[in-house]
Amino acid sequence: MPKAPIFIGGAGRSGTTLLRVILDSHPNIACGPELKVTPIVADLWQKFQTTLSPPLKEYLLSRSDINQIFRQMLLSLLEKYRLQSGKTRIAEKSPNNVFFFQHLHQIFPDSPLIHLIRDGRDVVCSLLTMNWVNPQTGQRVDYIQNARKAAEYWAAAVTAGRKAGANPSIRQRYLELRYEDLTLNPEETLQRLFSFIDEPWEPSVLEYHKRRRNLAGESSAEQVSKPLYTAAIGRWKKDMAADDLGAVTHVAGNLLRELGYAASHEST
């Protein structure tokens, strides 16, 4: 019986793709390209448990039954990839998983929930260079259009993940990692991660960039094909306009301070 799947989330451009290729380099773990539908399934689970619950009860479906249905749905979506990899465990990285950690915990009570956090100013800098399009509307996604919207998205993602992690029923399954720690102190940070997910430490994961893998459609494909580097830490100092920095500080200054990031022109 495979161990419970691992779910990774965090604001887009926080290093979640880097973490996924590192995990995928472990001999026991398969972590492929973003499935993307995990947050959609989790959102549908919530509707089944709330607004759609009355008609489902008429069909004798309990909360437990619905949890089992959605657990099997997600496992069915992931299992073929795991089997093809020849590995014993699956991990799924979709950044917006972070908004649904509480839902995913209900569906998979034993699953680790990994929240990757990065300095919001660096995230905003990176988001503003993206050209992501909402497939349903054909329009650029809202939060890459200006610094204020990008900061609001970052703050919402971080807050959602941390709120889930503060829930007493989830706390033991929730791990918060920092992008800065991952790149500056990779071995120590990753040893903590693998201990948390109950997998042995494998130094070979630091050679993730030497492995061939499917990176189709991933915004960070070029970056994660290189060894770990720290040049992107503090990029806001040279790349962010003063007006944009003001907008980010206005929207997310308190959260930046709470996380230990400087909230002004000071370095972290």
Side-chain angles (χ1 to χ4, degrees):
M1 186 73 176
K3 291 181 180 177
I6 302 157
F7 293 101
I8 303 157
R13 309 307 294 170
S14 291
T16 56
T17 300
L18 173 62
L19 186 58
R20 92 93 173 155
V21 298
I22 289 172
L23 283 170
D24 190 55
S25 299
H26 193 281
N28 295 347
I29 302 170
C31 190
E34 289 176 24
L35 184 60
K36 296 186 185 295
V37 302
T38 304
I40 298 171
V41 172
D43 186 49
L44 183 61
W45 168 87
Q46 183 183 39
K47 291 182 174 65
F48 270 51
Q49 294 285 21
T50 54
T51 57
L52 298 177
S53 178
L56 292 170
K57 285 181 179 177
E58 298 297 329
Y59 281 80
L60 308 180
L61 293 170
S62 67
R63 292 181 64 86
S64 178
D65 293 328
I66 293 168
N67 287 349
Q68 178 65 17
I69 288 166
F70 277 82
R71 183 159 48 247
Q72 288 304 316
M73 182 191 302
L74 278 168
L75 286 174
S76 296
L77 291 168
L78 296 167
E79 184 65 0
K80 191 171 182 179
Y81 189 91
R82 184 191 71 80
L83 290 172
Q84 190 273 337
S85 75
K87 297 184 178 182
T88 57
R89 195 172 192 184
I90 192 77
E92 200 286 304
K93 184 276 293 188
S94 293
N96 283 350
N97 285 346
V98 74
F99 291 105
F100 298 96
F101 276 172
Q102 300 200 57
H103 308 58
L104 291 168
H105 177 72
Q106 294 296 319
I107 303 169
F108 293 98
D110 296 329
S111 282
L113 304 169
I114 312 301
H115 183 190
L116 193 60
I117 296 176
R118 183 184 181 191
D119 186 329
R121 296 161 298 184
D122 287 336
V123 170
V124 169
C125 280
S126 188
L127 285 172
L128 294 181
T129 68
M130 296 294 103
N131 193 32
W132 295 338
V133 173
N134 183 327
Q136 295 179 350
T137 65
Q139 303 296 315
R140 294 174 74 228
V141 298
D142 186 60
Y143 55 83
I144 65 170
Q145 297 185 27
N146 60 59
R148 180 183 61 79
K149 291 179 179 179
E152 288 173 348
Y153 161 72
W154 173 80
V158 171
T159 300
R162 302 193 94 209
K163 181 180 179 181
N167 186 319
S169 68
I170 298 176
R171 192 174 296 142
Q172 290 187 329
R173 301 295 181 193
Y174 172 87
L175 179 67
E176 204 169 277
L177 296 179
R178 300 292 179 94
Y179 169 82
E180 295 80 11
D181 292 336
L182 182 59
T183 53
L184 289 168
N185 302 297
E187 188 165 332
E188 177 184 344
T189 303
L190 291 171
Q191 284 181 352
R192 182 162 66 95
L193 168 63
F194 286 112
S195 175
F196 179 78
I197 63 176
D198 192 27
E199 295 291 348
W201 166 242
E202 288 285 345
S204 62
V205 299
L206 296 172
E207 303 295 313
Y208 64 89
H209 57 286
K210 296 182 178 179
R211 296 172 182 263
R212 294 174 62 89
R213 59 171 53 84
N214 179 12
L215 293 169
E218 298 201 52
S219 302
S220 300
E222 181 179 355
Q223 293 95 322
V224 301
S225 298
K226 303 174 183 177
L228 284 168
Y229 60 89
T230 60
I233 296 176
R235 61 171 294 187
W236 64 270
K237 296 174 190 175
K238 62 181 185 335
D239 292 346
M240 185 175 282
D243 287 350
D244 286 347
L245 179 58
V248 173
T249 303
H250 177 74
V251 168
N254 289 339
L255 183 55
L256 286 165
R257 279 190 290 270
E258 180 182 332
L259 292 168
Y261 296 118
S264 67
H265 290 278
E266 300 168 3
S267 60
T268 56

